[in-house]
Amino acid sequence: MPFFEIGPKAYIYGKESVALAVAADEAAQKYDVDVIYTALCVDIPAIAAAVSRLKVFAQHMDSLMPGRGIGMALPEALKEAGAHGTLLNHAEASMELNEINKAIKRADESQLATLVCADTVEEACAIAHLGPNMILAESPGLIGGGVRSESDMEKIGRTNEAIGKIDPDIMVMHSAGISGGSDVYNVILAGADATGSTSGIIKAADPKRMVDEMIRAVREAYDKRSGEEG
């Protein structure tokens, strides 16, 4: 079953972020869709306490061990705060490949799932060899409100195939340029294991309604895809 990811970045925080997470949790239950919510570290405990179906992820995690390390996100601390996993290597917090490798290993040790970003098929394949749970393939040019072209849609199948040859257990998420339910529907129908949105939700006239629309679209596209495959 595909999933959906909501990445509020630092556009919202505190009570506003908790409220959006609760709306997403309600939609996740209504449509029976798994939803990841990548929260600011300081908001993880409040969000985790307010939801039941939602999977709360940190927006970043460092590979350090308990001990020295000022201003970093410690894996064990994220887990205790209520996080289910972490996002890694986003274009706005990029990491070297060796650091991604260490972070994935530390996440595994701390029982945190990993969603690792890649901006090219080549980078996605390199990351696939490191054994993350999920890879988020997104073109930097689409982040923040870009529009998906036909070539972006065709890239979904090629990326899935390339990663699948390395590790078929890795789920592949295709995001960026997702502004409404129709974009979600088309990406999932094209074969993505997941998609997600930031700007399309945060900048919407009614973010909670947009969350419902997008999560519903995941369910509808998956049901359509399953029917065609069956």
Side-chain angles (χ1 to χ4, degrees), residues 132-135 163-172 193:
N133 300 108
M134 298 158 279
I135 289 177
I163 293 172
K165 288 180 179 178
I166 297 168
D167 187 343
D169 291 330
I170 296 174
M171 298 188 76
V172 188
D193 290 318

Side-chain angles (χ1 to χ4, degrees), residues 94-179:
S94 60
M95 304 166 69
E96 297 293 334
L97 196 64
N98 68 327
E99 181 59 27
I100 296 172
N101 185 38
K102 289 190 289 185
I104 290 173
K105 290 180 179 178
R106 289 287 290 118
D108 289 343
E109 292 170 1
S110 303
Q111 298 183 315
L112 292 167
T114 46
L115 172 58
V116 187
C117 301
D119 59 17
T120 65
V121 175
E122 292 74 20
E123 184 180 24
C125 288
I127 291 170
H129 285 288
L130 307 180
N133 300 108
M134 298 158 279
I135 289 177
L136 168 49
E138 58 180 1
S139 301
L142 291 174
I143 297 173
V147 178
R148 283 189 163 262
S149 65
E150 186 175 337
S151 63
D152 290 312
M153 297 301 291
E154 292 173 350
K155 188 178 177 181
I156 291 174
R158 296 198 305 272
T159 304
N160 290 355
E161 183 179 5
I163 293 172
K165 288 180 179 178
I166 297 168
D167 187 343
D169 291 330
I170 296 174
M171 298 188 76
V172 188
M173 175 180 168
H174 296 266
S175 192
I178 305 298
S179 59

